[in-house]
Amino acid sequence: MELDGSKDPMNNDEGEDVPSDEPAFIDLKDTVEVNVDDTDVPMDEDDNEDAHDDEADDEAQSIQAPDMSIYTLTSHTSSVYAVAAHYHYETRKLSILTGGGDDKSFLHKLDATTSLSVATVQTAPLSHKHTDSVCAVAFNTKYLTNGHDPSKPGNYAAVGSYDGNVVLYDANTGEHKKTLDGPTDVEFLSFHPKGGSVLLAGSISDGTIWMYHLPTSKCLQVFVGHETGGADGGGGVSAGCFTPDGKFAVSTGMDGTMRVWAPRTGMCRHVFRLIDGDLGLTCIGVDGGSDGQLAIAGGEDGNAYVCHLQGKKLVATLRHFDHNNSKMQGDEDASDMRYVEAVAFAPRNVNPNWVATGSIDGSLKIWDLANEAQCRQTCKPAQGLISSKDKNGSDAVSGITRLTWHPSLPVIFVSYADGIVRLWDVRDGILLHAWTGGNVGDNQINDMAVEFIFPNPAENSAGTAIIVTANDDKHVKVYEVDVASVIAAARSNLTT
């Protein structure tokens, strides 16, 4: 079925980089103020290194814990690497898109007309025959313009594989729509927030980012600039997305740079050179600060870097990892523990000045950008809370893989390499709850999607969180969380 030939959202009559109805930038004087070391401000071009490791960590012993999930999806025959989810309020259906090391992708539909816990589950294997791991999946449903019927053409489920294929399916039926020529491999996918008709696909191998206009199947731009071919042959683009206003695309690379791209022209608007040498940037977050113009990148050097996109300025270096820890000195394996693997700005109605960083060493840190970028809270699970051991019999370190803030409360959902999802109150660092899915220890959560359901969106309620995790044990877990009840129970336990 041919799609609507809607107009290219990257073009307009005035020659701007985005549609004329998109929000204008807020003046730089309204931005978050933090102490800036001018010697750290990056100059302007390239550098080098490393790639994503698909291998499961085999040093921890898998142990059994209570299975708190409401559903376990067992379609995959190897580790599940990627997951996306969308809950449709009107139909009360939960859509889940997954991809794994078995080179397959699946579309799962949970019909929760009465209750999610008694939903009817349907799973459809997606038809394209990939020849390598599926490591990136995404829906554009939440970006469809107001008035667009999600049941009509244009509602996409996108799948990207290390074989370089970008495949689009009907998000409702799973019907194959088109396969797009792409980069050498696909490390990430990201839809344009204005209508969802433009898609980014980035490559860890060749260092390019491809931008497609989906109604016409055209590749609008190939952004080239990130360096590849480090000492071990690595390099390339590690993460990327559009800014929330759609004006720019932002990417991070294993060359240690964050780059800002103009979608209409394909030109690199600015290069933030953040790490020198052989270490790269692993992850990205956008929409920070009161003006939404802050972006953050996590690094393999143990730092996270906050940059102002419009001002083209590095405004803070967050030193997540304690480089003075003598246990890490000279230990090549232990040095990996410093990697910052997850970053996320707090929603504006929580606090526009807060940002979270998560590391392979298992520590979650909350930073206050309005208070000299100080660390206001460190959250780390107590050793032995749910015990797992490494090969030497010591308590295994559980690294952080994903972060998701609650949209209106100062709490954050965090997924870990031990297969556990934890909920933290960032105000005082209290662990509110931990969800286990049966196997823990050697069962890394590779990806996590969280959807929030509010009975009355106009009310400022805690709502229900639907957590979906992609695990190394070949399973996809679905958890249903009454957020207010969990918080109340945790606080009650603290007072007894």
Side-chain angles (χ1 to χ4, degrees):
M1 185 182 298
E2 195 52 44
L3 301 180
D4 249 340
S6 55
K7 85 175 187 180
D8 178 357
M10 295 303 158
N11 212 343
N12 61 32
D13 296 333
E14 300 173 358
E16 299 294 332
D17 285 333
V18 290
S20 59
D21 62 346
E22 293 190 358
F25 285 122
I26 295 175
D27 194 273
L28 187 58
K29 69 176 182 290
D30 295 326
T31 63
V32 174
E33 294 293 327
V34 299
N35 284 352
V36 178
D37 182 355
D38 288 333
T39 62
D40 285 340
V41 177
M43 297 304 293
D44 225 302
E45 277 272 27
D46 314 355
D47 217 52
N48 208 1
E49 176 68 78
D50 212 298
H52 169 80
D53 182 12
D54 294 332
E55 298 296 326
D57 180 4
D58 59 0
E59 292 190 353
Q61 301 171 4
S62 180
I63 62 175
Q64 288 298 308
D67 188 350
M68 302 176 183
S69 66
I70 59 171
Y71 291 104
T72 300
L73 306 177
T74 59
S75 303
H76 288 279
T77 58
S78 184
S79 296
V80 187
Y81 292 138
V83 65
H86 179 75
Y87 181 82
H88 193 266
Y89 286 86
E90 286 73 22
T91 63
R92 297 186 181 180
K93 289 184 178 180
L94 176 66
S95 298
I96 299 173
L97 183 62
T98 62
D102 53 6
D103 308 345
K104 296 178 181 178
S105 57
F106 294 88
L107 179 62
H108 315 268
K109 293 283 187 177
L110 280 66
D111 188 342
T113 304
T114 54
S115 170
L116 186 63
S117 60
V118 293
T120 301
V121 182
Q122 294 180 321
T123 295
L126 299 180
S127 60
H128 186 86
K129 304 295 184 183
H130 289 284
T131 59
D132 208 337
S133 298
V134 176
C135 293
V137 296
F139 289 113
N140 74 339
T141 313
K142 67 179 179 180
Y143 301 126
L144 297 178
T145 55
N146 291 336
H148 182 102
D149 184 347
S151 66
K152 302 297 183 183
N155 186 13
Y156 288 119
V159 174
S161 168
Y162 278 165
D163 63 11
N165 286 311
V166 177
V167 188
L168 298 176
Y169 300 91
D170 186 297
N172 295 299
T173 65
E175 177 188 356
H176 177 270
K177 288 299 180 181
K178 56 187 73 179
T179 300
L180 304 172
D181 292 333
T184 303
D185 63 345
V186 180
E187 180 69 13
F188 73 86
L189 295 170
S190 179
F191 281 102
H192 194 278
K194 303 297 182 180
S197 63
V198 171
L199 177 67
L200 288 180
S203 169
I204 195 75
S205 294
D206 64 26
T208 62
I209 306 162
W210 295 47
M211 186 176 75
Y212 306 93
H213 184 233
L214 302 184
T216 60
S217 301
K218 291 181 178 179
C219 178
L220 299 177
Q221 302 289 352
V222 177
F223 304 120
V224 180
H226 283 287
E227 293 184 357
T228 60
D232 62 355
V237 182
S238 55
C241 61
F242 289 103
T243 54
D245 58 15
K247 289 181 179 291
F248 301 109
V250 187
S251 61
T252 55
M254 301 309 291
D255 59 359
T257 68
M258 177 193 293
R259 296 170 187 256
V260 184
W261 308 91
R264 187 181 67 85
T265 64
M267 299 298 292
C268 184
R269 184 174 181 268
H270 189 67
V271 178
F272 294 97
R273 190 176 299 283
L274 302 174
I275 304 179
D276 293 326
D278 294 333
L279 299 177
L281 299 172
T282 63
C283 53
I284 193 169
V286 294
D287 201 20
S290 58
D291 65 352
Q293 289 301 306
L294 295 182
I296 182 171
E300 292 182 334
D301 60 351
N303 298 330
Y305 301 89
V306 181
C307 303
H308 194 276
L309 300 180
Q310 186 185 23
K312 302 180 182 179
K313 190 174 186 180
L314 174 68
V315 296
T317 298
L318 311 179
R319 306 196 182 281
H320 182 107
F321 185 79
D322 180 6
H323 293 270
N324 296 319
N325 187 339
S326 60
K327 293 181 180 179
M328 301 295 182
Q329 300 299 326
D331 187 336
E332 184 174 340
D333 291 334
S335 67
D336 291 348
M337 304 303 294
R338 65 188 174 185
Y339 291 7
V340 176
E341 289 287 320
V343 293
F345 288 104
R348 280 186 192 75
N349 55 353
V350 173
N351 191 313
N353 302 314
W354 289 356
V355 64
T357 59
S359 171
I360 290 182
D361 72 356
S363 62
L364 169 71
K365 294 190 176 183
I366 309 300
W367 309 82
D368 189 349
L369 300 177
N371 188 21
E372 299 183 349
Q374 292 185 6
C375 179
R376 69 182 311 274
Q377 203 61 249
T378 298
C379 310
K380 192 168 184 178
Q383 295 287 5
L385 179 64
I386 295 179
S387 180
S388 59
K389 303 293 182 180
D390 64 18
K391 61 184 178 182
N392 299 316
S394 302
D395 287 321
V397 175
S398 175
I400 290 174
T401 58
R402 294 290 186 269
L403 307 173
T404 301
W405 286 87
H406 188 281
S408 60
L409 299 176
V411 299
I412 189 167
F413 293 87
V414 184
S415 64
Y416 290 80
D418 60 4
I420 302 173
V421 178
R422 295 173 173 90
L423 178 64
W424 298 93
D425 190 322
V426 303
R427 294 169 297 184
D428 51 15
I430 296 298
L431 177 61
L432 298 171
H433 200 75
W435 289 270
T436 57
N439 292 330
V440 298
D442 184 17
N443 184 25
Q444 175 165 306
I445 296 175
N446 297 306
D447 200 4
M448 177 179 70
V450 184
E451 287 287 288
F452 295 95
I453 305 172
F454 301 97
N456 184 353
E459 296 179 1
N460 189 21
S461 66
T464 298
I466 304 173
I467 307 168
V468 187
T469 63
N471 295 53
D472 259 349
D473 67 356
K474 312 174 188 176
H475 294 161
V476 175
K477 291 287 183 176
V478 182
Y479 304 86
E480 185 177 25
V481 178
D482 183 327
V483 179
S485 296
V486 166
I487 295 174
R491 290 297 174 184
S492 176
N493 290 336
L494 289 174
T495 60
T496 58

